[in-house]
Amino acid sequence: MMAKTDWLLLVLMGVVFSSIERGEGRKTSELTYSAIKCRKHSASIKDFGGIGDGKTLNTKAFQKAVNQLSQYASDGGAQLVIPAGHWLTASFNLTSHFTLFLHKDALLLASQEINQWPLIDPLPSYGHGRDAPGGRYISLIFGTNLTDVIITGENGTIDGQGAVWWQQFHRKKLKYTRSYLIELMHSNKIQISNLTLVNSPSWNIHPVYSSNIIIQGLTILAPVTSPNTDGIDPDSCTNIRLEDNYIVSGDDCVAVKSGWDEYGIKYGMPTSHLIIRRLTCISPYSAAIALGSEMSGGIQDVRVQDIIAINTESGVRIKTAVGRGGFVKDVYVKGMKLHTIKWVFWMTGNYGSHADTHWDPKALPEIKGINYRDVVAENVSMAAQLEGLSGDPFTGICMSNVTIGLAKKAKKYPWTCTNIEGISSSVQPPPCQLLADQGPKKSRRMCDFPTESLPIDNIEMQRCSYRLNY
Ligand SMILES: *[C@@H]1O[C@H](CO)[C@@H](O)[C@H](O)[C@H]1NC(C)=O
Ligand SMILES: *[C@@H]1O[C@H](CO)[C@@H](O)[C@H](O)[C@H]1NC(C)=O
Ligand SMILES: *[C@@H]1O[C@H](CO)[C@@H](O)[C@H](O)[C@H]1NC(C)=O
Ligand SMILES: *[C@@H]1O[C@H](CO)[C@@H](O)[C@H](O)[C@H]1NC(C)=O
Ligand SMILES: *[C@@H]1O[C@H](CO)[C@@H](O)[C@H](O)[C@H]1NC(C)=O
Ligand SMILES: *[C@@H]1O[C@H](CO)[C@@H](O)[C@H](O)[C@H]1NC(C)=O
């Protein structure tokens, strides 16, 4: 028997499941974790007929659980616990004032019957699906018009079993756009934390037209050759905090977006007030953080701090094109450690990739106020490729305290700059002349990171404790 003090200690240490056997194969457990909101009611997927044998399809159990628990939305909210087991399911929707909690040995397996996945409309800010015109397969975990939703756990796993989708994509057999693992639309107050996401059919997490979002402590893994398996894609969202995430991906680890060409311009919903800190990324064919290429609603006030990228194509990359319109401005990057990188800095106005042929050739993007400081990179092929548009230069680019160690095979002159304007200080190797050198003394105060905090940083997590019998 455990001594009382040991028991207390365990609980105080925030240790999560400790169990006492009870009758009927059920266990009483203590569960403690941090969340933006604790819930009054709690149930297990087993209460709704769920079977965690890896073979039984649990879609109905999930849908029933969410439907029934939604009745508590105005009575303290509800939590659905997914215990240890392999839970095969197709898509289900979330509800408001709701927490989905995955035990550390819970594995949510996405059904691979592509044809059974329901279709939903293309996003209004995109006009089209990204893989094919027309509709798109709904995400494994989907929610729209919600408030106060939490998806968390003690590092339980969601496996998209994406291989069949990747194969169909490569063979150009997809009739509709691939499913994401998690998509939340038109929602407010979102937490996604302490989970492992693997093998998504396409993007992993897509918050869109949403606000007040915290995404932290995730491990996101996909084969580096898998198509479009972006980690996290905040899209037309405001007040977002992404922190302590570890991502290995076949595409951008984080891709910040706001709609595509004339559809995004018309919808006009920017992504703004975004914090990305302590991200570790491996993405050999893409960027640690991409801004765009779909940025037609605008991207403003992005604060990036303490990024590590290894074997990654580029650091913080801006992608745009004629026809996008919109803007990318007030971007601040402070503290990047990069190892084995093709381009440390990469911006392009010639990304192409249009929704259809109706884009407006007069819709030029405005790229302005892009600040980088305290960057160290090793084993780099090219320092930078900075390519604005003729008649539409990218302006206010600032680089300070940047040390780039070139690979043995690197080019002699590793900077390419066209149609850009900016300044630099203490940048090695010396940058192109379009980034006018201000001399080393200016370095300390240049390209400064904003000092005032954003509201999303003032949200405090609560400790939530539950006694469960499941
Ligand atoms: C996630 O896990 C870490 C480490 O176990 C813990 O410190 C943190 O509080 C957890 N976060 C949440 C939101 O539960
Ligand atoms: C989930 O939400 C979508 C979009 O609102 C809807 O089309 C779909 O029918 C919902 N699915 C279920 C099972 O309720
Ligand atoms: C969800 O919210 C959006 C934006 O406010 C609104 O246009 C849409 O009609 C809402 N959908 C539902 C199903 O309530
Ligand atoms: C979560 O699980 C993943 C995959 O097993 C592992 O790599 C990662 O280190 C775990 N994270 C934590 C905080 O335990
Ligand atoms: C440097 O980068 C090249 C690819 O450009 C890679 O093959 C090599 O292993 C890297 N060297 C080190 C020491 O990481
Ligand atoms: C330059 O950057 C390094 C980290 O890359 C940091 O330790 C150092 O303090 C920075 N120097 C200045 C003057 O900001």
Side-chain angles (χ1 to χ4, degrees):
M1 239 197 85
M2 203 184 289
K4 205 166 199 172
T5 46
D6 289 348
W7 169 256
L8 247 177
L9 198 63
L10 274 179
V11 173
L12 285 176
M13 282 166 65
V15 174
V16 194
F17 270 91
S18 31
S19 316
I20 312 161
E21 284 289 346
R22 275 256 202 113
E24 301 155 29
R26 294 220 156 196
K27 293 174 177 181
T28 299
S29 310
E30 296 279 345
L31 175 58
T32 302
Y33 60 87
S34 310
I36 52 172
K37 196 91 186 157
C38 304
R39 308 301 182 197
K40 190 165 150 192
H41 304 270
S42 189
S44 158
I45 188 64
K46 290 183 181 173
D47 299 333
F48 303 92
I51 298 173
D53 62 0
K55 294 183 201 131
T56 310
L57 192 63
N58 289 292
T59 318
K60 292 224 165 75
F62 277 99
Q63 290 174 351
K64 194 167 145 197
V66 175
N67 271 341
Q68 294 207 8
L69 295 174
S70 68
Q71 69 179 302
Y72 298 119
S74 55
D75 176 31
Q79 158 177 271
L80 179 64
V81 176
I82 315 304
H86 293 187
W87 308 90
L88 182 69
T89 182
S91 169
F92 59 93
N93 292 347
L94 301 180
T95 186
S96 292
H97 307 290
F98 180 81
T99 300
L100 181 69
F101 183 94
L102 270 69
H103 177 277
K104 68 177 164 35
D105 299 316
L107 171 65
L108 219 64
L109 284 169
S111 149
Q112 294 184 294
E113 303 292 327
I114 291 185
N115 298 327
Q116 288 171 19
W117 285 68
L119 293 170
I120 55 173
D121 289 339
L123 293 163
S125 57
Y126 284 67
H128 288 245
R130 294 178 87 267
D131 293 333
R136 47 199 200 106
Y137 294 103
I138 197 168
S139 297
L140 178 66
I141 301 177
F142 179 80
T144 189
N145 300 70
L146 303 183
T147 178
D148 177 17
V149 210
I150 302 171
I151 307 172
T152 188
E154 17 176 27
N155 205 16
T157 301
I158 303 176
D159 184 347
Q161 305 207 82
V164 290
W165 299 86
W166 307 331
Q167 206 174 54
Q168 299 253 318
F169 173 82
H170 284 307
R171 293 182 181 159
K172 300 191 162 52
K173 291 243 166 92
L174 285 169
K175 285 199 202 96
Y176 305 100
T177 294
R178 280 166 290 163
S179 168
Y180 304 140
L181 275 192
I182 300 174
E183 178 169 70
L184 293 166
M185 287 173 59
H186 302 295
S187 296
N188 184 24
K189 297 185 185 159
I190 297 168
Q191 172 185 342
I192 305 174
S193 58
N194 289 20
L195 296 169
T196 296
L197 272 50
V198 300
N199 300 325
S200 179
S202 177
W203 300 352
N204 279 269
I205 302 182
H206 185 220
V208 58
Y209 320 133
S210 294
S211 53
N212 300 309
I213 303 163
I214 297 176
I215 300 181
Q216 62 178 206
L218 300 185
T219 302
I220 300 181
L221 308 172
V224 295
T225 52
S226 56
N228 311 109
T229 45
D230 297 16
I232 307 170
D233 291 48
D235 195 351
S236 294
C237 289
T238 61
N239 287 318
I240 313 136
R241 193 166 114 200
L242 310 181
E243 57 194 11
D244 300 303
N245 297 302
Y246 176 89
I247 303 177
V248 181
S249 169
D251 209 318
D252 303 316
C253 287
V254 172
V256 183
K257 299 179 183 285
S258 65
W260 207 1
D261 290 350
E262 67 273 21
Y263 304 98
I265 294 170
K266 187 171 174 214
Y267 204 78
M269 193 167 183
T271 288
S272 60
H273 309 307
L274 166 63
I275 296 167
I276 305 173
R277 58 167 77 103
R278 297 184 303 270
L279 166 71
T280 303
C281 169
I282 298 177
S283 173
Y285 305 105
S286 232
I289 299 171
L291 307 173
S293 80
E294 303 91 332
M295 39 59 72
S296 301
I299 296 172
Q300 186 167 21
D301 191 3
V302 178
R303 306 178 184 192
V304 175
Q305 216 169 354
D306 301 327
I307 305 301
I308 297 175
I310 304 152
N311 191 14
T312 294
E313 201 174 45
S314 56
V316 178
R317 177 180 180 195
I318 298 175
K319 316 190 260 195
T320 184
V322 172
R324 287 286 192 281
F327 49 84
V328 177
K329 53 191 181 188
D330 309 331
V331 175
Y332 307 92
V333 179
K334 181 181 162 80
M336 277 205 295
K337 286 196 172 69
L338 309 173
H339 202 286
T340 306
I341 300 288
K342 202 159 172 191
W343 292 278
V344 172
F345 303 105
W346 193 6
M347 296 179 193
T348 180
N350 297 308
Y351 194 75
S353 170
H354 295 289
D356 53 33
T357 56
H358 305 304
W359 53 277
D360 175 3
K362 289 203 234 44
L364 299 176
E366 183 192 11
I367 311 300
K368 187 179 167 187
I370 314 294
N371 302 274
Y372 299 95
R373 61 169 304 140
D374 307 346
V375 178
V376 181
E378 283 166 43
N379 198 28
V380 167
S381 309
M382 286 280 293
Q385 174 150 346
L386 306 174
E387 187 188 8
L389 286 160
S390 129
D392 178 30
F394 297 178
T395 61
I397 298 170
C398 185
M399 290 185 190
S400 166
N401 188 24
V402 174
T403 310
I404 297 173
L406 294 171
K408 284 205 187 83
K409 286 185 193 155
K411 287 206 183 151
K412 253 204 193 115
Y413 191 71
W415 295 77
T416 312
C417 305
T418 47
N419 301 306
I420 61 145
E421 292 168 21
I423 54 174
S424 65
S425 170
S426 299
V427 176
Q428 282 302 328
C432 53
Q433 289 186 351
L434 294 177
L435 294 173
D437 191 351
Q438 308 296 296
K441 282 192 191 141
K442 293 273 173 69
S443 173
R444 192 166 286 280
R445 287 185 311 275
M446 265 175 56
C447 329
D448 265 350
F449 205 77
T451 47
E452 87 288 4
S453 72
L454 291 174
I456 192 67
D457 247 341
N458 302 330
I459 292 183
E460 301 236 344
M461 293 266 180
Q462 307 173 8
R463 289 301 282 176
C464 306
S465 289
Y466 303 89
R467 236 184 124 66
L468 302 175
N469 180 23
Y470 69 89

